[in-house]
Amino acid sequence: MFLRPMRTYAAAGLGTAVLAAGLTLVAPTAHAVTTPDSAAASWLTAQIGADHLVQGSVARTIDFALALDEIGGSQTVLDQLKQGVDANVATYATDGVTDAQAAVYYQAMGVDARTVDGDLIAKVEALTNDSTGEMTESFGGAWSQWLAVRALTTAGSSEAPKALTYLLGLQSPDGGWPGFSGSDADDTADALFGLLPLKGSSTAVDNAIASGVAYLESTQKTDGGFDNFGENASSTGLSAHALMLAGETGPAARAARWLRQRQVAGTLCDGKLAADGGAVAYSDTVFAQGITDGIAADSNAGYDWYGATIQSLVPLAAAPAATGALGVSAPAWVRAGSTDSATAVGLALGQRGCLSLAGKNVAVVGGATRTGSFAFPAGSHAYQAVLRVEGSAASRRIVALAPKVLTVGRSRAVVAKGGVERITVAGLHSGEPVSISYNGTVVAKGVATSTGRFVRSIAVGRRAGTKTVYAVGRFGTRKGHASFTVR
């Protein structure tokens, strides 16, 4: 089950199942490997151990399976995860939350939960108060109650209506559901997971859903994130998922953009996270620490990375797609020894990438910081500006040019009036723009050959005297001249 934003839950070994298994309101679509949700799924799949569990945790394994199922992920991986859950469910499902979560999981996998672990539905019924409908749980509230509602409703239990009534009764006047200190995004999203499949069943349910969705939208930050003891991927993932299921595509997309901005691209800019493309960090602080130390060094990695990535998996499918081709915008020619900039183009909003140029790597983000400043060493040299993102890359050639005296040759020392002189410019860089001036006027323009040469014939005119032609490359510091006589 997903770990909650409060570390006290993690410390107690508890969590919350927040994925709305079986709750998909639109048909799942297949994704290419480079979409943010499938990138997260690929990273999580790589974390499955020989015991068929994600990092040895039944809770995270169940939540990953529910998320993977919802986005239409690999059936082979789902079967593998089920082996891990099957082997451990008897020792895992030991209280109200774990009983209900396991029941919801098996129901989503098409298995009758009454046939698992001595009847998981009977266990949930035994822990649901016959009078009030409350799920008996040390950390009660919307967190545990929605699981009871889902498990009991799907099983057709006679105790489902009272469990639903109790969940509705927990709603605050502001439309949210309370956590430790008043309404919060996490508990509100949890409640909506229990209510959304029942939309249309009663006016009370529909009103509660509408108020809950309005509460979430009113608490969303301007950057798209959600805050519960600080902006974080757990709260944002929960809220975005609920908003997706409620059909609120705009707010869900903004939240997904926030999540994607905390998703590792797996590039040179990610430091010790370079091999963890697809993973999502709980917060900016966690991301920065991961770049320096890596995930393995994080004592709260199960919470800061694995839980955060699982919780972000479904919402990442709502992240805005790129609207153009991936590329690099930068000048083709720069002055050696100078500093110039390059800009990433084609990044989706929130998508992270890495611009590499002249020995420097600069992290970029679509819709945010997309431009990097790069210093070019002295000396002419051709560079490749490379933009790397999850699973793809684009590049642009940039040539740094140092000051240089160009060699300018003429075909004859003396040219008759009205004649033509053949001018050869050498010492240019391949493809370098060049111009030739005569009598104060540019008379020829072009680019150098692959051997750095440029040849043109010019009319010398009918005025006698000593004449000079000037050649200038891409910059005024790259020039040369030659003289001849007209008579």
Side-chain angles (χ1 to χ4, degrees):
M1 70 194 76
F2 289 130
L3 300 181
R4 297 298 292 273
M6 287 293 291
R7 290 183 183 272
T8 51
Y9 284 115
L14 299 172
T16 182
V18 300
L19 284 174
L23 226 167
T24 310
L25 303 182
V26 294
T29 55
H31 298 285
V33 173
T34 52
T35 59
D37 54 331
S38 58
S42 295
W43 182 78
L44 288 165
T45 298
Q47 313 310 311
I48 300 173
D51 56 2
H52 305 296
L53 299 175
V54 177
Q55 292 293 303
S57 168
V58 178
R60 294 188 193 101
T61 301
I62 287 178
D63 277 352
F64 176 36
L66 294 176
L68 192 63
D69 182 58
E70 190 165 345
I71 67 170
S74 167
Q75 186 60 50
T76 299
V77 177
L78 287 170
D79 291 343
Q80 183 181 3
L81 296 171
K82 188 172 179 296
Q83 292 181 55
V85 177
D86 287 344
N88 293 277
V89 66
T91 55
Y92 173 71
T94 58
D95 59 21
V97 168
T98 53
D99 287 335
Q101 190 215 17
V104 168
Y105 164 74
Y106 279 105
Q107 289 167 340
M109 297 299 112
V111 177
D112 183 354
R114 290 192 182 277
T115 66
V116 178
D117 192 28
D119 193 343
L120 287 169
I121 300 303
K123 291 183 177 183
V124 175
E125 289 173 333
L127 291 169
T128 301
N129 189 289
D130 292 339
S131 299
T132 65
E134 178 185 8
M135 158 72 81
T136 303
E137 173 56 47
S138 298
F139 293 93
W143 170 43
S144 57
Q145 197 67 26
W146 89 264
L147 288 167
V149 170
R150 172 64 63 76
L152 296 174
T153 300
T154 303
S157 170
S158 60
E159 296 191 31
K162 284 188 176 180
L164 172 60
T165 298
Y166 188 83
L167 179 61
L168 292 172
L170 291 174
Q171 190 171 25
S172 299
D174 61 7
W177 272 261
F180 282 115
S181 55
S183 296
D184 62 47
D186 300 62
D187 287 276
T188 301
D190 283 344
L192 289 172
F193 294 141
L195 296 176
L196 281 166
L198 304 176
K199 187 175 182 179
S201 63
S202 71
T203 300
V205 168
D206 289 352
N207 289 342
I209 290 173
S211 297
V213 169
Y215 171 82
L216 285 182
E217 293 185 357
S218 71
T219 58
Q220 187 173 25
K221 301 298 183 182
T222 56
D223 63 0
F226 284 83
D227 185 335
N228 190 10
F229 298 92
E231 275 187 287
N232 62 83
S234 295
S235 299
T236 302
L238 275 167
S239 302
H241 192 171
L243 290 168
M244 285 175 66
L245 297 170
E248 299 296 314
T249 56
R254 290 194 295 275
R257 171 185 174 180
W258 189 97
L259 292 170
R260 194 173 192 185
Q261 195 164 337
R262 280 81 187 166
Q263 184 175 33
V264 180
T267 66
L268 295 172
C269 292
D270 293 321
K272 290 191 176 180
L273 296 175
D276 292 295
V280 178
Y282 175 81
S283 66
D284 291 335
T285 300
V286 168
F287 199 116
Q289 197 64 48
I291 290 175
T292 301
D293 298 330
I295 291 177
D298 187 347
S299 60
N300 293 304
Y303 176 80
D304 288 341
W305 290 98
Y306 302 107
T309 304
I310 292 171
Q311 203 150 331
S312 302
L313 180 52
V314 173
L316 280 171
T323 57
L326 196 68
V328 180
S329 175
W333 307 91
V334 297
R335 297 174 186 270
S338 70
T339 297
D340 217 312
S341 63
T343 300
V345 297
L347 291 173
L349 294 176
Q351 183 179 20
R352 299 183 68 89
C354 184
L355 270 175
S356 300
L357 175 60
K360 181 181 178 182
N361 303 310
V362 175
V364 290
V365 180
T369 304
R370 299 182 297 112
T371 300
S373 180
F374 301 90
F376 296 90
S380 296
H381 187 77
Y383 298 90
Q384 285 292 327
V386 182
L387 171 61
R388 294 181 177 86
V389 297
E390 177 72 32
S392 188
S395 64
R396 175 178 174 79
R397 184 173 182 266
I398 297 174
V399 179
L401 297 174
K404 186 174 184 180
V405 176
L406 302 176
T407 300
V408 180
R410 71 291 194 277
S411 55
R412 289 168 294 178
V414 179
V415 186
K417 293 179 181 180
V420 174
E421 179 75 289
R422 186 168 181 265
I423 304 299
T424 300
V425 183
L428 296 161
H429 198 284
S430 173
E432 182 179 357
V434 59
S435 64
I436 295 175
S437 298
Y438 180 68
N439 287 335
T441 301
V442 175
V443 294
K445 285 185 177 182
V447 296
T449 65
S450 60
T451 59
R453 293 167 62 84
F454 179 74
V455 181
R456 286 292 186 274
S457 293
I458 65 170
V460 300
R462 307 195 65 80
R463 183 174 296 179
T466 300
K467 304 293 182 179
T468 303
V469 291
Y470 297 92
V472 180
R474 176 62 183 81
F475 302 113
T477 54
R478 296 172 60 80
K479 59 187 178 182
H481 65 275
S483 298
F484 56 88
T485 300
V486 176
R487 65 184 181 194

